[in-house]
Amino acid sequence: MVDEQEKSHRAGIWKQQNKPHKTGRHRSKGQIDLENKGKVSVRTLTKKALKERRKVDRRHHALQIRAKKREEVLRKKRNIGSRNAPPHLVAVIPLHQDTDIGELLEKIRNIDEEQATVRDSKLKSAGFTINVSRLKHRFTFISPTSPSLPDILDCGLVADTILFLLSVESEDPIDSQGHVILSTLFAQGLSASVLTTMGLDKVPIKKRSETKKMIHKSISKNFPDSKLHNVDTEQDVLLMLRTVAEQKRKSVNLRQQRPYLLADNFTFECKDGEDKGMLAVTGFLRGANLDVNRLVHVVGWGDFQINRINAATDPSPTSLQRKQRKTIPGGDATMDNGLDTDINANIDMSSQETLAKFDPDERETLVKEAVIDPLDAEQTWPTEDEMKEAEEAIKEKKKLVKNVPKGTSEYQAAWILDSDEEWEEKNNDDEDDLDSDDEIMEEDDELKPTAEEDSQVDPDEFEQIRVSESTQDYQFETMSQYDEGMDIEEEERALERYREERSHKLFPDEIDTPHDLPARVRFQKYRGLRSFRTSPWDTKENLPLDYARIFQFQNFNRTRKRLRMLEVDEAVKQGMYVTLYLEDVPKVFVESHSSQIIIYGMFPHEQKMSVVHMALKRGQGRYEDIPVKNKDEMLFYVGFRRFRAKPLFSQHTNGDKHKMERYLQKESVSVASVYSQILFPPANVMMFKETSTGILPIASGNVFKVDPDRVVTKRIVLSGHPFRIHKHLATIRYMFFNPDDILWFKPVELRTKWGRRGHIKEALGTHGHMKCTFDSQLTSQDTVLMNLYKRVYPKWSYDLITPVNRTKVDFHDSDHALTSKEIEFDDEFFD
């Protein structure tokens, strides 16, 4: 009996009830399996197999990725300083006036002859090359030819490593000029750096620890992980060189994607009586392969064409390279360590073999500006259809003559519908427009009132008045009545008080409407926009004449990607020691060049002029409060180019229209637009301001894009004051001063500082009062605003800087030096 009850047991009301699984709007996996009935798509099967890969396979794949990255790092290290690559280029730059870089360079040169060999370059500015057999590495040391900031930046433009020399004698190892150098070099791009000191052994033993702590504290902000090297003995020099050779280097995009060369020697040939000649520059090709048909840029001198490229003999080969030249006269060769052979091994260096010569059909031209065609401008002559439309519109707006009661104003006459008494006024003098006198009489008989109507109306009670058939929305019949009770002098005094009170608030872009000049004349180039974000703006409308001189890309980003993927002839490879023959170099180059001769390869189209936009941000230093006004002449260092220009500042925002900035903003990123030669990004930008005491770093950034169609609009704000307020209606004054201006700007939408929006309804009187309607009631403290816009363009002020016209700032010259009181830059100025 008990067994039967247990079998028939059923759950009671207290049984646990679990919530069903909620799959949401999508089907559950179980439902999908039931519907597919075991079928699996190919895509799902592939993903599943990829996901369920064995642990051994995953580990093997990770090892492959790691090995590939390691090989890439080793390849980059071997490309600098090894036997198959150009020497490791090291620039020695002092960060304090008390330091002596000559003493440091002398210590490096005086290393044991068994460990290193030294060769001086034929060009003094190219420094010397030292081959350290113990490190299997060779170095080229250069230093600025003068303490001027431009020469220091030129050294940093090509250096693989910068050797900073600090002071141990002064309280601060980096003086104010050193902070300037650091900030500008960081902004330009720094691959690697090593910090050194000299004379620490001369410091008393008890103060050495304190001196080291002081130096570490000073450099920790800019170099948190760097080690300080004291160079007093030969062993210290070798340890420092080992650090330079083995340290990790960051890639600088400008050098990685372009070929560049530091000249070891040059020769110049020029015919008698000519100002230009052939410049032959010899040096190691670095960065990337060089195309002989492309242009090159000599820093500080401009763009030039290459005539040919010859192979040259490496003046400071390693021991392995010397053995290879003796044992292998030509052909392929391999070394025991598995590395590639000398890149110049298969070339007869003694014969100066020509590696590449330009092709006239594929050679880039030096054309910078487009040829202006005066007949290619915008044609404003109307078409035949527009002429017909204009004639029909004139006919519709001809004046009509009406018989109206005496005392009727033009406004009232326009509303009188008396079509039987209207006739079109004919001009008897213009007989060409009339077909015949009979037609005129017939039309007049049809339009003139009948005799019966004339007999019923007293002609003395009526008069003839001319009105326009196309009546306006606003009429001024009550203007004289409105002006009777107005005190003009009090109105002017109230306006003056209002302007004085409003001047303290400094509303951006707000200007005063001129009292003696109509606003429709003063602001005739401006327009209103219903929405600054969505309203259309024709990018080809009313372009300046300077736009006929520039070039434009159909798609800039696509062109940039395509150019970087172009294959370059491998006849002139990166790492070779070559001689470039440049055509049409000015003769003054031989007399005026003083610093390092640096040559950079260019991409196609980079010699052409266009509108270049640069994203800039002000530095956080002492000179962040210096106002930089729009279109002030500034000094630009853009990649390898140096030029002066007058930038046009605008906001860095999304959309097709961008608001102009009257001054360079302090906290936000601004876009500076200039007419300049094209330079494909990435390229770092530095902007300086030239003063009587030198050049001051203002901002830094990078090249944003090249686009003449980027619309930069200047905004002005006209303001008015509520005079009378009645619910949604308000009488506004002080925005305009005559009714014609109110009618002119009637379609433009109004807004207030408190967020109200409205429109002009009608004009009141003849002194600029107007009735406006808003979406809600105004307050007496609110201000009514009207935004007007016009497109603005940069000024054509591009001026390439050469050693002849550039201003040098010599920090160590007492006559031109900037003392610590005059210039104190923050070391994070360009961060």
Side-chain angles (χ1 to χ4, degrees):
M1 198 69 185
V2 176
D3 296 339
E4 293 179 356
Q5 290 180 354
E6 290 179 354
K7 291 181 180 178
S8 62
H9 175 75
R10 296 184 179 181
I13 60 174
W14 303 111
K15 181 184 176 182
Q16 179 179 350
Q17 298 290 334
N18 296 326
K19 293 182 179 179
H21 177 67
K22 296 180 180 180
T23 60
R25 295 183 180 179
H26 63 276
R27 297 174 298 172
S28 65
K29 293 182 179 179
Q31 291 175 345
I32 294 174
D33 292 339
L34 289 175
E35 293 177 5
N36 293 335
K37 297 180 179 180
K39 298 178 182 178
V40 181
S41 63
V42 177
R43 183 177 299 179
T44 306
L45 185 63
T46 307
K47 289 183 178 179
K48 187 176 181 181
L50 210 68
K51 184 178 180 182
E52 296 179 356
R53 189 167 48 189
R54 293 183 305 170
K55 184 176 181 181
V56 177
D57 296 336
R58 292 197 303 269
R59 182 179 298 176
H60 182 62
H61 183 63
L63 290 173
Q64 289 179 334
I65 296 175
R66 189 181 306 159
K68 186 176 180 180
K69 290 183 178 180
R70 184 181 180 186
E71 290 176 1
E72 183 68 18
V73 172
L74 291 175
R75 186 187 64 81
K76 288 182 179 180
K77 283 189 175 182
R78 292 167 185 164
N79 283 342
I80 298 177
S82 64
R83 65 181 181 85
N84 295 328
H88 194 135
L89 193 55
V90 182
V92 182
I93 295 177
L95 295 181
H96 200 282
Q97 294 183 4
D98 297 340
T99 58
D100 185 7
I101 60 175
E103 183 181 353
L104 176 60
L105 293 175
E106 193 64 26
K107 288 184 178 182
I108 297 174
R109 293 171 64 98
N110 293 334
I111 299 180
D112 188 2
E113 296 180 356
E114 296 180 359
Q115 298 181 0
T117 57
V118 180
R119 181 197 65 88
D120 291 324
S121 300
K122 295 182 180 179
L123 200 60
K124 186 177 179 181
S125 59
F128 63 92
T129 301
I130 180 171
N131 191 351
V132 184
S133 58
R134 182 176 179 181
L135 302 177
K136 297 181 181 179
H137 211 81
R138 54 178 177 170
F139 307 87
T140 296
F141 286 89
I142 62 173
S143 60
T145 56
S146 70
S148 63
L149 187 59
D151 288 342
I152 294 175
L153 292 177
D154 287 346
C155 289
L157 191 63
V158 294
D160 299 319
T161 301
I162 296 183
L163 197 64
F164 291 113
L165 185 57
L166 309 179
S167 174
V168 296
E169 298 178 358
S170 59
E171 297 180 357
D172 190 355
I174 305 176
D175 59 5
S176 58
Q177 291 84 358
H179 288 302
V180 177
I181 295 170
L182 279 178
S183 58
T184 52
L185 286 175
F186 280 136
Q188 181 175 253
L190 192 61
S191 176
S193 60
V194 175
L195 303 178
T196 60
T197 58
M198 287 193 308
L200 192 61
D201 54 349
K202 298 179 182 178
V203 179
I205 299 178
K206 295 183 179 180
K207 294 185 178 181
R208 286 183 185 178
S209 178
E210 182 181 353
T211 303
K212 288 182 180 181
K213 290 181 181 179
M214 179 190 65
I215 295 175
H216 279 290
K217 184 179 179 180
S218 178
I219 65 176
S220 60
K221 199 171 186 180
N222 290 312
F223 307 96
D225 299 328
S226 297
K227 181 181 178 181
L228 183 64
H229 292 267
N230 182 42
V231 183
D232 287 331
T233 63
E234 183 177 331
Q235 190 67 25
D236 294 337
V237 174
L238 287 174
L239 184 60
M240 182 265 295
L241 292 179
R242 183 181 295 276
T243 302
V244 172
E246 297 179 355
Q247 71 175 161
K248 184 179 179 180
R249 292 181 294 272
K250 298 180 181 178
S251 61
V252 180
N253 291 327
L254 184 68
R255 307 178 202 168
Q256 189 176 2
Q257 300 173 357
R258 300 172 185 270
Y260 64 97
L261 179 145
L262 175 65
D264 285 343
N265 190 20
F266 78 92
T267 58
F268 184 80
E269 296 180 1
C270 180
K271 296 182 180 179
D272 296 338
E274 294 185 0
D275 296 334
K276 297 181 179 179
M278 183 79 70
L279 178 67
V281 182
T282 304
F284 283 98
L285 185 63
R286 306 168 186 266
N289 298 343
L290 178 61
D291 189 351
V292 69
N293 294 315
R294 293 185 182 179
L295 301 179
V296 294
H297 179 84
V298 181
V299 176
W301 290 96
D303 307 333
F304 300 96
Q305 291 177 322
I306 303 176
N307 181 277
R308 65 185 185 276
I309 303 176
N310 288 358
T313 305
D314 190 347
S316 57
T318 62
S319 58
L320 291 177
Q321 287 175 320
R322 287 193 293 268
K323 292 179 181 179
Q324 184 178 0
R325 289 180 184 176
K326 294 179 181 179
T327 58
I328 305 176
D332 297 334
T334 55
M335 304 304 294
D336 295 337
N337 57 2
L339 299 177
D340 295 336
T341 58
D342 185 6
I343 202 167
N344 296 327
N346 299 331
I347 300 172
D348 187 4
M349 298 297 178
S350 60
S351 62
Q352 292 288 314
E353 178 185 351
T354 300
L355 301 176
K357 189 173 178 59
F358 76 93
D359 185 354
D361 297 332
E362 299 182 1
R363 193 183 198 185
E364 287 283 333
T365 63
L366 290 171
V367 177
K368 292 173 55 178
E369 302 177 14
V371 179
I372 298 178
D373 185 2
L375 300 179
D376 195 24
E378 182 180 359
Q379 301 297 321
T380 58
W381 189 260
T383 62
E384 294 182 0
D385 296 338
E386 293 175 345
M387 293 286 288
K388 291 180 181 179
E389 292 178 1
E391 291 177 359
E392 293 176 358
I394 292 174
K395 290 180 180 179
E396 292 178 358
K397 294 185 178 180
K398 284 188 175 180
K399 296 289 184 178
L400 301 178
V401 179
K402 291 186 177 182
N403 281 339
V404 295
K406 288 185 177 180
T408 304
S409 64
E410 184 179 354
Y411 172 78
Q412 294 171 336
W415 288 95
I416 296 177
L417 301 177
D418 193 7
S419 59
D420 295 338
E421 296 182 0
E422 295 177 0
W423 67 90
E424 186 175 0
E425 184 185 18
K426 303 299 181 179
N427 189 356
N428 295 329
D429 297 333
D430 192 2
E431 297 180 357
D432 296 336
D433 295 340
L434 303 178
D435 296 337
S436 64
D437 294 339
D438 297 337
E439 293 181 1
I440 299 174
M441 295 301 297
E442 291 176 1
E443 292 178 1
D444 292 348
D445 292 340
E446 292 176 1
L447 296 175
K448 288 184 178 178
T450 60
E452 296 179 357
E453 293 174 346
D454 288 345
S455 62
Q456 298 176 2
V457 178
D458 187 359
D460 296 336
E461 296 180 358
F462 287 84
E463 62 179 357
Q464 293 184 356
I465 185 171
R466 296 184 180 183
V467 298
S468 175
E469 188 177 4
S470 57
T471 59
Q472 299 178 348
D473 295 336
Y474 298 99
Q475 304 294 338
F476 309 118
E477 75 282 2
T478 59
M479 291 182 181
S480 58
Q481 300 176 4
Y482 186 87
D483 294 340
E484 290 179 357
M486 180 180 294
D487 187 356
I488 305 300
E489 296 181 357
E490 179 63 27
E491 191 79 0
E492 293 178 354
R493 287 193 294 269
L495 173 62
E496 189 67 20
R497 290 194 300 270
Y498 171 69
R499 285 179 175 174
E500 290 178 359
E501 180 182 359
R502 184 171 47 85
S503 62
H504 297 288
K505 297 182 180 180
L506 297 176
F507 190 79
D509 301 326
E510 185 175 340
I511 64 174
D512 295 329
T513 305
H515 198 280
D516 54 347
L517 183 66
R520 62 185 182 279
V521 178
R522 170 64 180 83
F523 308 121
Q524 59 184 346
K525 294 184 179 180
Y526 291 83
R527 68 182 70 176
L529 296 177
R530 183 177 184 86
S531 172
F532 183 78
R533 183 179 62 87
T534 60
S535 295
W537 196 300
D538 187 5
T539 58
K540 306 299 183 183
E541 178 186 2
N542 296 329
L543 296 177
L545 186 61
D546 290 335
Y547 264 53
R549 305 167 60 182
I550 64 176
F551 295 86
Q552 181 181 6
F553 294 100
Q554 190 174 10
N555 190 324
F556 176 73
N557 291 329
R558 183 180 62 190
T559 305
R560 180 183 62 178
K561 294 178 182 178
R562 182 177 60 85
L563 290 177
R564 298 191 186 282
M565 295 174 63
L566 290 178
E567 295 183 0
V568 180
D569 187 9
E570 295 186 355
V572 187
K573 296 182 180 180
Q574 178 265 342
M576 298 179 66
Y577 193 73
V578 296
T579 301
L580 307 183
Y581 290 86
L582 309 182
E583 296 181 353
D584 297 332
V585 179
K587 190 176 181 179
V588 70
F589 172 84
V590 182
E591 303 172 355
S592 302
H593 89 280
S594 57
S595 60
Q596 285 80 10
I597 301 176
I598 301 171
I599 299 177
Y600 262 86
M602 298 167 55
F603 289 114
H605 312 299
E606 285 193 329
Q607 77 279 13
K608 298 173 182 177
M609 296 290 293
S610 187
V611 181
V612 180
H613 307 283
M614 299 167 284
L616 300 176
K617 186 177 182 180
R618 297 206 64 165
Q620 302 296 326
R622 174 180 176 181
Y623 290 93
E624 62 177 338
D625 295 330
I626 295 179
V628 179
K629 194 176 181 181
N630 199 21
K631 295 185 179 180
D632 281 351
E633 187 176 61
M634 306 298 291
L635 183 64
F636 285 93
Y637 277 41
V638 183
F640 50 79
R641 295 191 188 276
R642 282 92 170 95
F643 59 89
R644 293 185 182 90
K646 296 181 179 180
L648 176 69
F649 299 122
S650 60
Q651 292 180 347
H652 189 28
T653 55
N654 296 327
D656 58 346
K657 294 179 290 297
H658 311 272
K659 180 179 168 296
M660 186 198 76
E661 298 286 1
R662 299 178 188 272
Y663 292 88
L664 181 62
Q665 299 300 307
K666 298 179 181 179
E667 298 179 355
S668 61
V669 177
S670 299
V671 176
S673 305
V674 297
Y675 289 113
S676 171
Q677 290 179 281
I678 296 169
L679 190 67
F680 290 101
N684 293 336
V685 178
M686 292 180 291
M687 187 175 72
F688 301 89
K689 186 173 183 179
E690 294 182 300
T691 63
S692 58
T693 56
I695 56 176
L696 307 178
I698 298 297
S700 67
N702 50 50
V703 175
F704 177 43
K705 63 178 179 178
V706 180
D707 184 13
D709 286 342
R710 187 176 187 271
V711 178
V712 180
T713 59
K714 178 182 179 181
R715 185 187 72 172
I716 61 171
V717 180
L718 306 181
S719 60
H721 185 67
F723 183 47
R724 294 190 182 94
I725 301 173
H726 178 68
K727 295 184 179 179
H728 287 214
L729 298 176
T731 301
I732 308 300
R733 58 179 179 177
Y734 303 151
M735 183 176 289
F736 302 107
F737 299 101
N738 61 75
D740 294 335
D741 289 343
I742 298 175
L743 292 179
W744 182 270
F745 292 99
K746 170 184 171 292
V748 183
E749 186 181 18
L750 301 176
R751 66 179 182 88
T752 69
K753 288 185 177 180
W754 288 19
R756 307 289 183 263
R757 293 188 176 274
H759 294 276
I760 299 174
K761 189 174 182 182
E762 62 179 350
L764 302 175
T766 60
H767 294 281
H769 289 207
M770 56 185 180
K771 184 182 293 185
C772 303
T773 177
F774 295 89
D775 54 359
S776 61
Q777 186 173 355
L778 300 184
T779 60
S780 58
Q781 297 86 3
D782 207 347
T783 303
V784 180
L785 307 172
M786 177 183 289
N787 294 337
L788 299 176
Y789 302 88
K790 77 168 181 178
R791 186 177 178 183
V792 290
Y793 305 89
K795 285 187 177 181
W796 192 282
S797 57
Y798 180 80
D799 181 22
L800 181 67
I801 297 177
T802 64
V804 179
N805 65 355
R806 81 177 183 183
T807 302
K808 293 188 177 182
V809 184
D810 192 346
F811 291 126
H812 297 270
D813 190 355
S814 60
D815 296 333
H816 303 283
L818 302 178
T819 62
S820 58
K821 295 181 179 179
E822 294 174 339
I823 176 170
E824 292 179 1
F825 289 93
D826 192 353
D827 48 4
E828 290 185 350
F829 192 88
F830 283 115
D831 290 351

